[in-house]
Amino acid sequence: MKNMIRDLREQFNLTQLDLAEKVEVSRQTIISLENGKYNPSIFLAYKISRVFNLPIEEVFIFEEEDIR
Amino acid sequence: MRKDEYLKREIIYSAIFILIGIIALIGFIIGFKKPMMFGIAIGFIPTGVGMLLIYQKAKKHKEFSRNLKLEIEERNIYINSKAGHLAFWVSYWYIVIASVFSNIINVSMQRFTIYTLIFMPVVYFLFVAIYHRKY
């Protein structure tokens, strides 16, 4: 699953640590999310989307391959 | 899992560790399998007391509380669960292979259990390290 976290974070002038603290995870988790290594739970996805005031589907992009 | 639930669970585990240690200490005092009871008491009591102190402190201190939140964050839980699952099956096959070759390998039961006790956490922490790199 692709995501727009890095772009949005930069738009909002947030560091990885700032975002990590806002959504109560480690900076390593934000790094993994940005690199597409780790897919978040629906709760974390919701928290992240709320930081950027966007719906989940605009932050996390589902692809057909993710469903299969 | 919520932080309070996690803290409560860990404090219960610490109390169980201390209880096992105290039972072993009583066994040592009354002279039942003295070396083994001494070893269990030495291992369990300090571990239990240490865990209890850490988690009691985590209740009050902000910095400890923050570390605890990170400890139970979802990526860590995901990695630990995945590592635990794989470590279980590796240990299972290790025991299966050991039983199949038990006639060839001449190791006493006591030694085998010691090897297993070392093998299992090593495998678990190895997978934790691998998954931390992967995810």
Side-chain angles (χ1 to χ4, degrees), chain A residues 27-45:
Chain A
R27 193 173 76 91
Q28 188 55 48
T29 299
I30 301 297
I31 294 168
S32 294
L33 287 167
E34 286 187 356
N35 292 335
K37 283 183 173 178
Y38 173 68
N39 288 330
S41 70
I42 189 71
F43 300 105
L44 182 56

Side-chain angles (χ1 to χ4, degrees), chain B residues 17-37:
Chain B
F17 264 66
I18 295 169
L19 190 68
I20 292 170
I22 289 169
I23 292 168
L25 194 65
I26 293 167
F28 173 75
I29 291 164
I30 61 171
F32 175 73
K33 296 201 173 184
K34 274 185 129 181
M36 191 171 82
M37 291 297 142

Side-chain angles (χ1 to χ4, degrees), chain B residues 6-67:
Chain B
Y6 179 79
L7 265 177
K8 203 173 159 186
R9 197 189 69 184
E10 290 304 313
I11 288 170
I12 292 170
Y13 285 163
S14 321
I16 293 170
F17 264 66
I18 295 169
L19 190 68
I20 292 170
I22 289 169
I23 292 168
L25 194 65
I26 293 167
F28 173 75
I29 291 164
I30 61 171
F32 175 73
K33 296 201 173 184
K34 274 185 129 181
M36 191 171 82
M37 291 297 142
F38 182 70
I40 293 171
I42 285 291
F44 276 74
I45 294 174
T47 310
V49 171
M51 280 166 63
L52 195 67
L53 289 175
I54 288 169
Y55 291 113
Q56 286 290 355
K57 209 170 179 181
K59 273 183 172 176
K60 295 164 196 163
H61 288 73
K62 214 176 172 183
E63 190 53 33
F64 270 103
S65 194
R66 195 177 158 272
N67 288 343

Side-chain angles (χ1 to χ4, degrees), chain A residues 8 12 45-56 58-59:
Chain A
L8 289 164
F12 278 72
Y46 175 73
K47 276 184 179 178
I48 292 170
S49 308
R50 218 167 49 170
V51 170
F52 302 124
N53 296 315
L54 286 171
I56 290 179
E58 283 183 34
V59 182

Side-chain angles (χ1 to χ4, degrees), chain B:
Chain B
M1 191 191 301
R2 283 176 55 227
K3 196 189 86 187
D4 298 344
E5 286 171 23
Y6 179 79
L7 265 177
K8 203 173 159 186
R9 197 189 69 184
E10 290 304 313
I11 288 170
I12 292 170
Y13 285 163
S14 321
I16 293 170
F17 264 66
I18 295 169
L19 190 68
I20 292 170
I22 289 169
I23 292 168
L25 194 65
I26 293 167
F28 173 75
I29 291 164
I30 61 171
F32 175 73
K33 296 201 173 184
K34 274 185 129 181
M36 191 171 82
M37 291 297 142
F38 182 70
I40 293 171
I42 285 291
F44 276 74
I45 294 174
T47 310
V49 171
M51 280 166 63
L52 195 67
L53 289 175
I54 288 169
Y55 291 113
Q56 286 290 355
K57 209 170 179 181
K59 273 183 172 176
K60 295 164 196 163
H61 288 73
K62 214 176 172 183
E63 190 53 33
F64 270 103
S65 194
R66 195 177 158 272
N67 288 343
L68 198 67
K69 266 186 189 169
L70 295 181
E71 196 178 311
I72 56 170
E73 66 141 7
E74 64 171 59
R75 182 172 156 273
N76 278 339
I77 293 172
Y78 175 74
I79 287 171
N80 292 345
S81 311
K82 231 173 142 58
H85 175 83
L86 201 55
F88 167 80
W89 284 109
V90 170
S91 304
Y92 175 85
W93 284 108
Y94 156 83
I95 293 166
V96 168
I97 290 164
S99 345
V100 169
F101 292 104
S102 58
N103 290 337
I104 304 162
I105 308 162
N106 194 16
V107 179
S108 71
M109 187 63 183
Q110 193 186 16
R111 253 172 205 273
F112 178 70
T113 49
I114 291 168
Y115 293 153
T116 310
L117 283 173
I118 295 166
F119 178 81
M120 286 172 75
V122 167
V123 170
Y124 171 72
F125 288 115
L126 182 72
F127 285 128
V128 168
I130 290 169
Y131 284 135
H132 266 285
R133 279 181 158 269
K134 190 178 176 187
Y135 296 107

